[in-house]
Amino acid sequence: MAKSGTTTQGLRTAIERSGYYPALVAEAVEAAVGGEPISSYLVHQETTFDSNEVRRHVTVLVLTGNRFIVSHTDEQAADAGSPSPYATTSTESVKLSSISSVVLSRVVANPESYTPGTLPREVVLTIGWGAVSRIDLEPAACGDPNCDSDHGYTGNSTADDLSLRVSEAGDGPEAVRQTLVFAQALSEATAATSSTSAR
């Protein structure tokens, strides 16, 4: 399930509709947003199955004029440190100028008959701002098949701070549409920030 929009009240309503500890999630997100006007937001809840346990997770993404705010809330079962179930919530505030990439991957059924405007079957929104990077390394080689020298390693580094998968089958078509709307708003905001700072 994903909900998007542009107002503070709309954000609170979307968090309440997710039904996932709304008072806790809303308080954390609203404290991070402060008094800034909201340009766009996305609320996404997902349920996962871990052995015999069902775990829920909600991600709230908020775009303001200057910042991108991401909030995660997870529920945890009772453990040695806590005799009762508990939830953890975290928020991170990122300057728009720090966002290095906004990647939107679309999965489209029957691409040979694709009609512009048709919703993808699923989308994956990946946002990078340099807090987490993935490095893929492999041994370097030269063009000589008989060479057995050590050429060191080659690879690449990929920003991978947040990845959110939304599918029509699992989340519904409206959730896919809302993710596309938020991704476009974030892309446009980071582009505007880049062009302003380049002047």
Side-chain angles (χ1 to χ4, degrees), residues 23 40 51 58 71 130 151 159 180:
S40 186
S51 299
V58 68
S71 174
H151 294 286
L180 292 171

Side-chain angles (χ1 to χ4, degrees), residues 25 28-29 57-61 69-73 89-92:
V25 174
V29 171
H57 175 90
V58 68
T59 302
V60 180
L61 309 179
I69 296 161
V70 58
S71 174
H72 295 287
T73 304
T89 186
S90 64
T91 56
E92 183 173 2

Side-chain angles (χ1 to χ4, degrees), residues 1 6 13 16 55 80 88 107 112 118 120 126 129 133 135 137 141 151 154 157 180 192-193 197:
M1 170 189 356
T6 58
T13 301
E16 288 170 357
R55 294 181 186 245
T88 58
V107 178
E112 69 282 354
T118 303
T126 304
W129 57 90
S133 293
I135 298 177
L137 293 176
H151 294 286
T154 185
S157 173
L180 292 171
T193 302
S197 60

Side-chain angles (χ1 to χ4, degrees), residues 138-142 144 146-154:
E138 61 183 36
C142 67
D144 182 356
N146 297 319
C147 179
D148 59 0
S149 297
D150 182 357
H151 294 286
Y153 288 87
T154 185

Side-chain angles (χ1 to χ4, degrees), residues 63 96 102 180-195:
L63 177 63
L96 286 178
V102 178
L180 292 171
V181 168
F182 182 83
Q184 181 173 347
L186 183 59
S187 291
E188 289 172 355
T190 55
T193 302
S194 297
S195 63

Side-chain angles (χ1 to χ4, degrees), residues 120-177:
R121 188 172 66 193
E122 74 176 55
V123 293
V124 178
L125 175 60
T126 304
I127 304 164
W129 57 90
V132 178
S133 293
R134 184 180 68 244
I135 298 177
D136 297 317
L137 293 176
E138 61 183 36
C142 67
D144 182 356
N146 297 319
C147 179
D148 59 0
S149 297
D150 182 357
H151 294 286
Y153 288 87
T154 185
N156 56 46
S157 173
T158 307
D160 197 14
D161 295 296
L162 174 76
S163 189
L164 194 67
R165 178 182 173 268
V166 181
S167 71
E168 186 177 23
D171 304 292
E174 189 57 27
V176 173
R177 182 176 291 106

Side-chain angles (χ1 to χ4, degrees), residues 7-82:
T7 67
T8 303
Q9 185 56 46
L11 173 59
R12 180 172 269 280
T13 301
I15 290 171
E16 288 170 357
R17 279 194 193 137
S18 78
Y20 182 79
Y21 306 123
L24 172 66
V25 174
E27 181 180 54
V29 171
E30 288 169 2
V33 171
E36 282 191 75
I38 294 172
S39 304
S40 186
Y41 63 81
L42 180 68
V43 178
H44 181 257
Q45 181 188 320
E46 56 188 320
T47 303
T48 57
F49 299 93
D50 183 14
S51 299
N52 297 333
E53 296 179 4
V54 176
R55 294 181 186 245
R56 295 179 299 165
H57 175 90
V58 68
T59 302
V60 180
L61 309 179
V62 180
L63 177 63
T64 72
N66 301 305
R67 298 182 297 149
F68 166 67
I69 296 161
V70 58
S71 174
H72 295 287
T73 304
D74 292 285
E75 63 183 356
Q76 308 292 332
D79 57 28
S82 175

